[in-house]
Amino acid sequence: DGEVTNYFEWLTAGHYYVADQFGTMHRAGTIIGQILFGFDTENAYFRLDFHQHPPVDLFREGYSFQIFLLPSFILSIYQKEDGSIEISLERERDDGWIRLDHHCECAVGSILEVKVPFSDLNARSAETIRFRIMLSQKDIVLEEHPQAGSIQFQVPGPHFEEMDWEV
């Protein structure tokens, strides 16, 4: 829903704190504050938190977000001229990119939440998903996280929920 609806909603998610990649002098200079990520047996989920401006304002100012799902997918989120939010998924092919039909979703409010079905990425159980987040404005890259390398997690298998069960 694009909001921090419930304390428990993202409690067990993976966290990447943007400030951790910078020295003390640069911590306040980023727009993205933290990246959260998680999954269930069918989807990957991403959440972006911001230091000052909600994503709705950023979209109005021409910002866009890309999730690079390495090595061959780019998910882009941007505002169209009519004010609606567009999501596109592209896959690298030969020397270019082709736009794909997809079932990805996003919600924009005080945070940005994104759902990406593993089937859209042709990802199978036990495969590693590696990703990077990029923030651009008018085709100029302003932030990329992490600055080096990628964040990663493994696509869960069919018995994942049973393994994570506790009393």
Side-chain angles (χ1 to χ4, degrees):
D1 63 358
E3 301 297 334
V4 182
T5 311
N6 180 318
Y7 170 78
F8 299 102
E9 186 177 24
W10 287 91
L11 184 64
T12 60
H15 284 80
Y16 179 82
Y17 296 101
V18 170
D20 289 347
Q21 74 181 341
F22 298 104
T24 309
M25 299 297 288
H26 294 93
R27 289 188 181 183
T30 63
I31 294 171
I32 299 173
Q34 71 175 338
I35 299 164
L36 288 84
F37 58 96
F39 50 83
D40 58 24
T41 55
E42 296 183 13
N43 304 292
Y45 300 95
F46 303 92
R47 170 180 153 180
L48 302 180
D49 290 8
F50 303 88
H51 281 295
Q52 295 178 347
H53 304 286
V56 112
D57 293 344
L58 296 171
F59 282 121
R60 270 192 231 120
E61 295 173 20
Y63 287 85
S64 63
F65 300 89
Q66 294 78 36
I67 302 175
F68 288 85
L69 296 147
L70 305 167
S72 55
F73 292 92
I74 296 176
L75 180 96
S76 299
I77 307 163
Y78 55 93
Q79 184 170 311
K80 295 180 1 181
E81 287 185 23
D82 66 5
S84 64
I85 301 298
E86 178 76 15
I87 306 171
S88 68
L89 182 65
E90 297 174 281
R91 182 177 189 153
E92 188 174 26
R93 179 189 251 172
D94 301 324
D95 290 334
W97 295 88
I98 57 167
R99 197 169 191 156
L100 303 172
D101 289 332
H102 64 84
H103 301 91
C104 302
E105 300 175 21
C106 79
V108 179
S110 61
I111 59 175
L112 175 63
E113 294 178 302
V114 181
K115 177 178 93 173
V116 180
F118 291 126
S119 60
D120 285 352
L121 306 175
N122 299 319
R124 293 181 179 68
S125 174
E127 287 184 5
T128 299
I129 299 288
R130 297 181 306 120
F131 70 94
R132 299 171 60 85
I133 304 287
M134 195 166 74
L135 171 67
S136 304
Q137 186 180 35
K138 299 177 181 155
D139 296 326
I140 298 170
V141 176
L142 302 175
E143 295 183 25
E144 195 167 352
H145 307 293
Q147 287 187 327
S150 60
I151 303 167
Q152 61 184 24
F153 62 90
Q154 197 170 45
V155 177
H159 301 291
F160 168 75
E161 291 174 346
E162 296 167 12
M163 293 170 27
D164 200 35
W165 185 85
E166 61 183 66
V167 176

